[in-house]
């Protein structure tokens, strides 16, 4: 392991945004360890109708404060407040994030996480852009250890850093230098399983897994379920909906940043039509279906969707 002053981009301002996020994750990690499970509900709901936890709000506050302090972020939007908020005049980046993914599993002490994407700022404030415009992304996991999976733009690599928190400030050390997802795996994490009653294509893919020796590895939290793909370097996470059980994942705060990281690490993504990164952004509450992971496994989704006549092109 290398002790680091992390340089995550050749571009000092982008590196500064990443540093600000790492600082916020250090604070979030401490908040979660010191608030008896973090599962206390407030009286409020976010725009998506989810009940908010004290820890959701605290993590959101920490992240926005650090982004503002950096001076490099013009706007941010997040799952708890899905609208663009100005941070710093003249900032060259936008950050979209899910402050605390896994609110429904925090009470059982499962791993939860923060997901974030960094974009170049311009007048469109992301409307009309797509996931292809992301310049960096990361996903922090607050588990038995606190780690972050992050795109190192300077080295063009997806890496894992671990938080060492015994000193006053805490510091991050590189623990995996070049994550490369293998073409095919044998583990799967299927979200929104209730939709397979009506969704024939989704059911066919999952039946294939049952008949072909794949192992179920599912916690019910998108951040930990997808991060296991980075750490095992194999696997698939999926979540598709039907009319009765629609997909609830948010494009800007969950699907786009994680698909960016997966594709940078050699995996693939699928939104039911093409790569998740091709989805055109039409609003700050946009939802998305998703399959991400080992390239051949994701190609199999596409083939089954094609067989069922679900692809437009
Ligand atoms: P949650 O239940 O906490 O809202 O963000 C949505 C999400 O969590 C994801 O983290 C998770 O992968 C998904 O929902 C789980 O959905 P299902 O319970 O429908 O499988």
């Amino acid at each position: 392991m290398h002790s680091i002053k992390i340089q995550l981009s050749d571009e000092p301002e982008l590196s500064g945004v990443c540093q600000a996020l790492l600082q916020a994750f250090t604070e979030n990690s401490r908040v979660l360890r010191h608030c008896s499970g973090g599962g206390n509900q407030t009286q409020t709901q976010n725009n998506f109708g989810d009940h908010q936890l004290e820890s959701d709000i605290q993590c959101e506050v920490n992240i926005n404060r650090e982004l503002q302090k950096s001076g490099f972020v013009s706007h941010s939007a997040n799952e708890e407040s899905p609208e663009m908020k100005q941070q710093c005049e003249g900032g060259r980046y936008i950050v979209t994030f899910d402050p605390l993914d896994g609110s429904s599993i925090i009470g059982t002490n499962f791993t939860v996480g923060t997901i974030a994407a960094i974009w170049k700022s311009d007048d469109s404030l992301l409307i009309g852009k797509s996931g292809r415009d992301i310049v960096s992304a990361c996903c922090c996991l607050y588990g038995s250890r606190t780690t972050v999976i992050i795109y190192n733009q300077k080295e063009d690599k997806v890496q894992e850093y671990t938080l060492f928190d015994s000193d006053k400030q805490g510091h991050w050390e590189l623990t995996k230098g070049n994550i490369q997802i293998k073409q095919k795996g044998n583990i799967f994490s299927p979200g929104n399983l209730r939709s397979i009653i009506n969704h024939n294509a989704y059911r066919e893919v999952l039946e294939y897994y049952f008949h072909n020796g794949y192992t179920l590895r599912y916690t019910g939290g998108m951040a930990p379920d997808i991060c296991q793909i980075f750490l095992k370097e194999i696997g698939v996470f999926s979540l598709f909906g039907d009319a009765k059980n629609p997909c609830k994942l948010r494009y800007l705060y969950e699907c786009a940043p994680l698909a960016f990281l997966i594709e940078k690490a050699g995996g693939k993504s699928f939104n039911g039509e093409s790569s998740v990164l091709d989805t055109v952004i039409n609003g700050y509450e946009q939802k998305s279906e998703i399959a991400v992971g080992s390239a051949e496994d994701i190609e199999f989704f596409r083939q089954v969707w094609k067989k069922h006549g679900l692809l437009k092109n």
Side-chain angles (χ1 to χ4, degrees), residues 184-205:
K184 196 158 163 45
N186 58 4
I187 57 171
F188 69 112
S189 309
N192 200 20
L193 256 196
R194 26 188 123 61
S195 72
I196 65 169
I197 304 295
N198 298 313
H199 198 312
N200 296 336
Y202 195 18
R203 188 172 63 248
E204 183 171 329
V205 171

Side-chain angles (χ1 to χ4, degrees), residues 62-102:
N62 287 343
I63 296 167
N64 274 331
R65 189 189 52 243
E66 291 305 322
L67 294 179
Q68 203 167 59
K69 261 175 32 191
S70 77
F72 303 134
V73 175
S74 70
H75 292 81
S76 73
N78 73 84
E79 190 176 298
E80 299 307 321
S81 318
E83 66 251 328
M84 279 295 167
K85 280 203 187 120
Q86 184 159 25
Q87 298 294 348
C88 308
E89 224 167 289
R92 290 180 49 210
Y93 292 96
I94 291 174
V95 178
T96 58
F97 61 95
D98 179 356
L100 198 59
D101 177 72

Side-chain angles (χ1 to χ4, degrees), residues 28-239:
N28 290 351
S29 180
R30 288 174 177 165
V31 165
L32 291 167
R33 306 233 178 265
H34 291 114
C35 69
S36 61
N40 294 341
Q41 276 192 5
T42 62
Q43 296 307 311
T44 54
Q45 289 184 355
N46 64 19
N47 287 31
F48 299 100
D50 305 328
H51 286 282
Q52 290 181 304
L53 305 178
E54 282 168 16
S55 43
D56 285 326
I57 295 170
Q58 190 58 56
C59 290
E60 178 193 9
V61 167
N62 287 343
I63 296 167
N64 274 331
R65 189 189 52 243
E66 291 305 322
L67 294 179
Q68 203 167 59
K69 261 175 32 191
S70 77
F72 303 134
V73 175
S74 70
H75 292 81
S76 73
N78 73 84
E79 190 176 298
E80 299 307 321
S81 318
E83 66 251 328
M84 279 295 167
K85 280 203 187 120
Q86 184 159 25
Q87 298 294 348
C88 308
E89 224 167 289
R92 290 180 49 210
Y93 292 96
I94 291 174
V95 178
T96 58
F97 61 95
D98 179 356
L100 198 59
D101 177 72
S103 320
S104 59
I105 54 173
I106 194 168
T108 50
N109 201 15
F110 283 16
T111 294
V112 293
T114 300
I115 305 164
I118 307 173
W119 317 67
K120 278 252 162 76
S121 180
D122 67 16
D123 291 344
S124 75
L125 293 181
L126 304 186
I127 303 300
K129 301 209 158 212
S130 75
R132 301 259 170 229
D133 293 299
I134 293 176
V135 293
S136 193
C138 57
C139 181
C140 182
L141 286 187
Y142 313 103
S144 50
R145 49 199 175 101
T146 296
T147 54
V148 67
I149 304 295
I150 191 162
Y151 176 59
N152 184 328
Q153 190 250 2
K154 186 177 159 79
E155 296 184 24
D156 193 22
K157 286 176 184 155
V158 175
Q159 301 179 321
E160 181 204 55
Y161 291 84
T162 297
L163 177 64
F164 290 83
D165 203 14
S166 46
D167 52 346
K168 201 169 162 225
Q169 289 181 320
H171 67 281
W172 296 84
E173 290 186 14
L174 182 66
T175 40
K176 235 171 187 288
N178 187 14
I179 295 172
Q180 295 276 324
I181 299 168
K182 295 184 186 62
Q183 294 287 301
K184 196 158 163 45
N186 58 4
I187 57 171
F188 69 112
S189 309
N192 200 20
L193 256 196
R194 26 188 123 61
S195 72
I196 65 169
I197 304 295
N198 298 313
H199 198 312
N200 296 336
Y202 195 18
R203 188 172 63 248
E204 183 171 329
V205 171
L206 298 182
E207 276 171 356
Y208 173 84
Y209 293 158
F210 298 144
H211 290 293
N212 286 276
Y214 280 57
T215 300
L216 175 71
R217 286 278 177 270
Y218 188 66
T219 71
M222 189 185 193
D225 285 330
I226 292 187
C227 282
Q228 76 176 329
I229 301 174
F230 295 111
L231 298 174
K232 288 181 185 278
E233 299 186 326
I234 54 164
V236 173
F237 173 88
S238 56
L239 200 147

